[in-house]
Amino acid sequence: MFLKTLIALVFLAMLTSLAAGAGFLLRDDSASRRLLVSLKIRVSLAALLLALLFYGFYFGGLSAP
């Protein structure tokens, strides 16, 4: 159950980073680096999400019913 909650939290963090990046894209000038930082965070979270999914399927925590 802990693994599923962690996966959901990482996914919600990715969505938050996506929304923040869209806001930075619309509001900031071209010299701002906040959009790049938001992209780096989102890519890192995506890698973590994939790792958690592989871990869950490999060890049976997310097996199909």
Side-chain angles (χ1 to χ4, degrees):
M1 187 66 183
F2 176 72
L3 182 63
K4 291 179 184 180
T5 305
L6 188 59
I7 289 172
L9 287 175
V10 170
F11 183 72
L12 288 175
M14 281 181 59
L15 289 179
T16 304
S17 177
L18 179 65
F24 297 150
L25 181 65
L26 294 174
R27 284 184 282 146
D28 288 352
D29 58 350
S30 62
S32 177
R33 298 183 54 87
R34 293 194 304 177
L35 182 63
L36 179 62
V37 171
S38 175
L39 177 63
K40 288 178 185 178
I41 291 171
R42 193 165 53 251
V43 168
S44 300
L45 287 171
L48 176 62
L49 181 64
L50 282 175
L52 287 172
L53 288 172
F54 284 133
Y55 175 83
F57 282 118
Y58 184 75
F59 288 108
L62 299 175
S63 61

